[in-house]
Amino acid sequence: MSMESVEAYLQQNSERFVSELSELLRIPSVSGDSAFKGDVRRAAQLVDQQMRQAGMTTEIVETPGHPIVVGTLTQSPGAPTLLVYGHYDVQPPDPLQDWITPPFQPTVRDGKIYARGATDDKGQMLTHIKAIEAWTKATGKLPVNVKVIIEGEEEVGSRNLEDFLESHRKQLACDIVVVSDTSQYAPGIPAITYGLRGIIAAEIIVRGPKQDLHSGIFGGSVTNPVNALAKLIASLHDDQGHVKIPGFYDEITPLSVQERQQFAALPFDEVDFLQGVGVSTGWGETGFTANERRWARPTCDVNGITGGYQGEGPKTIIPAWARAKITCRLVPNQNPEKIVQSLEAYLRSHLRPGATLEFKSDHGASGLVFDTSSKYMQAASRAVAAAFGREPVFIREGGSIPVVKTFKDILGADTLLLGWGQNTDNLHSPNEHFTLADFHRGIHASARLMWELSGRK
Ligand code: BES
Ligand code: MN
Ligand code: MN
């Protein structure tokens, strides 16, 4: 049986797969920091090499930013075509002092591999490349057609991917997209994610006096930009956790009773959940559960704030400026452009006199949900069950993978979001890790998915 020989190959090569993951994790491919530009390219080259080793024809496609690695293996006429997407770039590793072992020296402790990018997304995306290798090496042939796109700019908003998809629309034609860049529901509870939130990002700078002033001489007579920024931020929410930007909730499709019931039926211990992140009480929009708020309600969060004196000891000044970075997570049917405009208008209307507001917006993407009854979802469910020993639950997630919407718009294809990681893997955070058992189960599930989609021959 073909699937059996693939499974035997996975067993025999599991240690090598881990060392090849380590090799990739050793490269600091931080896309957001130009100091790492050469490393980002080296990571692309290593991904390319591992894809060729898997039997694919590959190409490193240049963009105005970081390169995209593209692989194809389409020798199964009549079989469905799978498009695998992932990213080889990573978030910055800061704060460095909080890492137990350095972020780019992958270390295995307790069955988990620790390194920046271990789960997001090097370890997860590599599962599909290793599954392809297993099929080609163990049986000489893939049961389906596969196209693979691994990009290097996901963590900075996938700036050049849309142009690439537009210009390669024909070559990338596919039946279904597969992305492993989300999480399982919980340890021992695999999940298929059928919805993601969208996102808009903005940076605001409040400017006041032309330079820092003595707060004794001038305090009380001019607007303090840090105070004014704090007022703007405070005006974003009411005390019930609702976002006060006019029209923010207007276009949202409300959660159905059935979906609320499905969420509520998932095992969830809020005390545990909060303890896991080190807080004692939760906070958010009243009238919704934590999972509803995380997955299916929009939010507006300040990601960082800078301004005034930050050194040791007091310094009595009226600072000249203050800056904040803001993102809103969006749910299906909210229009990102409209939300950016209403955010800007709202902030301008709450700005104190005597200050100016500079508003810059960055990447935008809408939220989405997919139909869970498709034959692809069902095939994925069987594949995950076979590899993880348990049926997956269907969940939504609050993170964003903007390109998933672009796949729908440009290629007309839905995406299977098959996350092998855990929310507690510290993605974007110190001591990021990926459980090696999940890495191997992910490879197995991917190999099995190809078999399920082929009609099991
Ligand atoms: N892999 C994440 C997205 C994710 C994580 C989705 C966990 C669901 C659960 C991805 O790499 C990411 O970090 N996306 C950014 C998007 C942004 C940079 C446009 C995000 O969600 O903040
Ligand atoms: Mn990711
Ligand atoms: Mn990420």
Side-chain angles (χ1 to χ4, degrees):
M1 272 294 290
S2 56
M3 191 64 222
E4 276 154 23
S5 53
V6 168
E7 280 164 354
Y9 184 92
L10 295 182
Q11 285 275 322
Q12 286 149 16
N13 292 275
S14 62
E15 275 173 38
R16 177 173 54 81
F17 292 161
V18 175
S19 55
E20 288 170 358
L21 168 58
S22 288
E23 212 182 314
L24 184 57
L25 291 173
R26 243 172 263 135
I27 305 176
S29 47
V30 182
S31 51
D33 186 339
S34 55
F36 294 92
K37 196 162 190 280
D39 295 302
V40 176
R41 176 166 299 273
R42 277 204 299 132
Q45 286 161 346
L46 185 56
V47 170
D48 176 75
Q49 187 204 311
Q50 295 200 19
M51 272 164 39
R52 271 185 282 125
Q53 172 189 320
M56 277 179 270
T57 306
T58 68
E59 190 189 347
I60 298 183
V61 177
E62 297 300 332
T63 75
H66 301 301
I68 303 171
V69 190
V70 184
T72 50
L73 191 52
T74 50
Q75 298 170 329
S76 308
T81 299
L82 215 73
L83 178 70
V84 173
Y85 162 85
H87 61 96
Y88 65 81
D89 66 319
V90 301
Q91 286 273 317
D94 320 65
L96 282 174
Q97 68 275 12
D98 288 358
W99 286 77
I100 295 164
T101 48
F104 299 108
Q105 285 176 31
T107 313
V108 178
R109 287 195 295 279
D110 227 3
K112 303 178 175 92
I113 188 159
Y114 284 79
R116 170 59 82 234
T119 190
D120 186 11
D121 177 43
K122 288 173 174 173
Q124 295 214 70
M125 68 82 178
L126 216 54
T127 59
H128 301 290
I129 296 174
K130 299 308 173 197
I132 293 167
E133 180 193 309
W135 273 104
T136 58
K137 295 281 160 69
T139 74
K141 189 172 182 303
L142 274 179
V144 289
N145 300 299
V146 165
K147 301 174 182 178
V148 179
I149 305 174
I150 309 294
E151 72 151 316
E153 298 187 296
E154 196 277 344
E155 298 293 6
V156 287
S158 302
R159 293 182 196 127
N160 295 295
L161 200 61
E162 196 165 328
D163 281 353
F164 167 78
L165 295 177
E166 281 283 9
S167 57
H168 294 71
R169 190 191 286 262
K170 283 228 176 66
Q171 292 101 300
L172 297 173
C174 62
D175 296 292
I176 187 78
V177 182
V178 179
V179 176
S180 291
D181 197 21
T182 51
S183 303
Q184 299 182 55
Y185 179 65
I189 311 182
I192 293 178
T193 298
Y194 67 91
L196 290 171
R197 287 195 291 189
I199 188 167
I200 57 135
E203 179 174 327
I204 58 175
I205 306 177
V206 176
R207 295 186 198 279
K210 65 180 188 201
Q211 64 190 66
D212 292 358
L213 305 174
H214 191 291
S215 66
I217 300 173
F218 295 98
S221 63
V222 295
T223 296
N224 176 326
V226 179
N227 295 23
L229 177 65
K231 177 183 180 261
L232 288 185
I233 292 171
S235 71
L236 289 172
H237 297 90
D238 69 15
D239 285 339
Q240 274 72 51
H242 302 111
V243 175
K244 284 165 67 188
I245 301 167
F248 193 70
Y249 298 100
D250 282 3
E251 276 154 26
I252 296 177
T253 329
L255 267 165
S256 69
V257 175
Q258 194 208 0
E259 213 176 3
R260 296 188 88 167
Q261 280 168 352
Q262 281 165 11
F263 290 0
L266 293 166
F268 185 73
D269 183 334
E270 191 157 0
V271 174
D272 243 34
F273 170 80
L274 295 174
Q275 220 169 35
V277 293
V279 300
S280 53
T281 321
W283 197 79
E285 202 184 352
T286 51
F288 296 94
T289 67
N291 280 345
E292 288 170 351
R293 293 180 196 144
R294 296 191 300 138
W295 296 346
R297 295 296 298 170
T299 56
C300 187
D301 278 297
V302 178
N303 309 122
I305 177 166
T306 316
Y309 180 63
Q310 319 257 335
E312 199 182 321
K315 183 170 189 241
T316 47
I317 55 161
I318 305 291
W321 58 269
R323 182 176 62 205
K325 291 178 190 275
I326 299 177
T327 49
C328 296
R329 296 285 169 173
L330 308 181
V331 298
N333 229 31
Q334 274 181 304
N335 177 326
E337 286 84 45
K338 262 199 195 166
I339 299 291
V340 169
Q341 283 168 13
S342 4
L343 171 65
E344 177 173 2
Y346 182 72
L347 292 172
R348 292 203 183 282
S349 74
H350 283 73
L351 184 66
R352 286 211 170 123
T356 59
L357 179 69
E358 202 178 301
F359 182 96
K360 292 184 270 191
S361 61
D362 206 315
H363 47 72
S366 18
L368 48 89
V369 282
F370 292 118
D371 174 15
T372 56
S373 67
S374 75
K375 63 179 179 194
Y376 300 109
M377 289 273 186
Q378 298 312 310
S381 178
R382 292 192 299 274
V384 172
F388 285 77
R390 198 196 140 132
E391 296 271 319
V393 292
F394 283 84
I395 62 168
R396 287 167 68 166
E397 287 216 61
S400 310
I401 309 176
V403 68
V404 173
K405 178 70 168 41
T406 319
F407 287 136
K408 182 78 190 174
D409 293 345
I410 298 183
L411 305 177
D414 281 5
T415 296
L416 293 170
L417 296 159
L418 308 178
W420 318 132
Q422 298 291 345
N423 281 325
T424 48
D425 285 347
N426 292 335
L427 36 165
H428 294 202
S429 164
N431 303 306
E432 177 176 350
H433 56 271
F434 189 28
T435 299
L436 289 174
D438 285 335
F439 178 58
H440 297 301
R441 288 190 278 247
I443 301 172
H444 186 186
S446 171
R448 179 85 186 209
L449 176 64
M450 294 170 198
W451 187 61
E452 294 285 347
L453 289 175
S454 73
R456 303 161 164 243
K457 274 167 277 165

